[in-house]
Amino acid sequence: MSAQSRRKSTAPKLRGRVWVEIGGAPALTEAGADLLEQIEAWQSLSEAARRLRFGYRRAWMLLDAMNRRWPEPLVETTTGGKRGGGSRLTEKGLLVLRAFRDLQLQAETLLDHATGPFRMSTRS
Amino acid sequence: MSAQSRRKSTAPKLRGRVWVEIGGAPALTEAGADLLEQIEAWQSLSEAARRLRFGYRRAWMLLDAMNRRWPEPLVETTTGGKRGGGSRLTEKGLLVLRAFRDLQLQAETLLDHATGPFRMSTRS
């Protein structure tokens, strides 16, 4: 290990995680937000699951839990029709996803700015 | 369940967690900060563990992991002497603990202020 990589490995790094709970249960997590984002991009739960390398069952259960925990669904699924149905975010789903991404960004900014004190050294 | 408690149970609550990693491993967590704080208050690891209802072994291992991960120890332990030894935070330990508590407060403030968008309703 080089001196540089050794120095890097002892640099403290601030980490953080945010999520939304409803009634004490997770209603939106980082994985859930990723799933919503991919559903919005592909209008398809199975394609969203593939892109995230989630098993379809895992993706379905994650989405079902989110839809049940919020007072109104975040995703609506249409069946049949010429294009064989699909999934898309409701207006509420879009608002919640955007607010969550914004919150994640604010949290990252906070952690970036707060790193200073953890870098201090007895040399100073 | 009353109408009021039902309404409360569907109110989204933002949650968050912050921690410090060094070399990819946790170097200071919320439990670790609690332990440091109690060590500072009681100048004793065993009393700190008791107050937190941590098993002594768990507290000792948590402290040992923190001390080993930071470039310099956060806690120093003295043995023997008239009062039978004890543990106390090093200058670095005090600085790290204060910076972490400050970060936790900032994160809480961020979550409190960010709750608004998650409360939105189709009624609005």
Side-chain angles (χ1 to χ4, degrees):
Chain A
M1 193 188 270
S2 72
Q4 198 175 7
S5 64
R6 193 179 297 121
R7 194 155 54 237
K8 191 181 174 189
S9 75
T10 60
K13 179 163 174 48
L14 289 179
R15 301 290 310 273
R17 180 170 295 153
V18 290
W19 68 98
V20 184
E21 285 184 2
I22 296 178
L28 185 59
T29 60
E30 292 179 1
D34 291 343
L35 184 61
L36 293 183
E37 200 165 71
Q38 291 299 315
I39 289 171
E40 186 55 21
W42 301 100
Q43 309 275 301
S44 154
L45 176 59
S46 57
E47 187 59 26
R50 240 190 314 271
R51 298 275 163 172
L52 292 169
R53 296 165 191 268
F54 288 2
Y56 181 78
R57 184 176 159 75
R58 177 185 168 198
W60 188 91
M61 291 202 310
L62 182 56
L63 176 57
D64 185 57
M66 283 193 280
N67 268 342
R68 280 185 290 101
R69 273 167 203 156
W70 290 83
E72 48 189 306
L74 304 184
V75 170
E76 59 189 6
T77 299
T78 56
T79 52
K82 282 190 182 165
R83 298 182 55 207
S87 298
R88 58 176 217 173
L89 269 59
T90 60
E91 194 181 338
K92 171 86 170 189
L94 283 168
L95 286 167
V96 165
L97 176 61
R98 275 179 207 145
F100 190 75
R101 290 306 194 201
D102 189 49
L103 174 66
Q104 283 183 304
L105 271 178
Q106 289 178 61
E108 270 176 42
T109 303
L110 170 65
L111 295 179
D112 285 349
H113 290 168
T115 297
F118 294 98
R119 281 209 198 101
M120 75 223 147
S121 156
T122 49
R123 276 166 289 168
S124 64
Chain B
M1 192 189 273
S2 72
Q4 197 175 10
S5 64
R6 193 180 296 119
R7 195 155 53 238
K8 191 180 174 189
S9 75
T10 59
K13 180 164 174 46
L14 290 179
R15 301 291 311 274
R17 179 170 295 154
V18 290
W19 68 97
V20 184
E21 285 184 0
I22 296 178
L28 185 59
T29 59
E30 291 179 3
D34 290 344
L35 185 61
L36 292 182
E37 200 165 70
Q38 291 299 315
I39 289 171
E40 186 55 20
W42 301 100
Q43 309 272 301
S44 154
L45 176 60
S46 56
E47 187 59 26
R50 241 189 314 272
R51 298 274 164 173
L52 293 168
R53 296 164 189 269
F54 287 2
Y56 181 79
R57 183 177 158 76
R58 177 186 169 199
W60 188 91
M61 292 202 308
L62 181 56
L63 177 57
D64 185 56
M66 284 193 277
N67 268 343
R68 279 186 291 101
R69 271 164 206 158
W70 290 84
E72 48 188 306
L74 304 184
V75 170
E76 60 188 5
T77 299
T78 56
T79 52
K82 280 189 182 166
R83 299 182 54 205
S87 298
R88 58 179 218 171
L89 269 60
T90 61
E91 194 180 338
K92 171 87 171 188
L94 284 168
L95 286 168
V96 165
L97 176 60
R98 276 178 206 143
F100 190 75
R101 290 307 194 200
D102 189 49
L103 174 67
Q104 283 182 304
L105 271 177
Q106 289 178 62
E108 270 175 43
T109 303
L110 170 65
L111 295 178
D112 285 349
H113 291 168
T115 297
F118 294 98
R119 281 207 198 100
M120 73 225 147
S121 159
T122 49
R123 278 165 289 168
S124 66

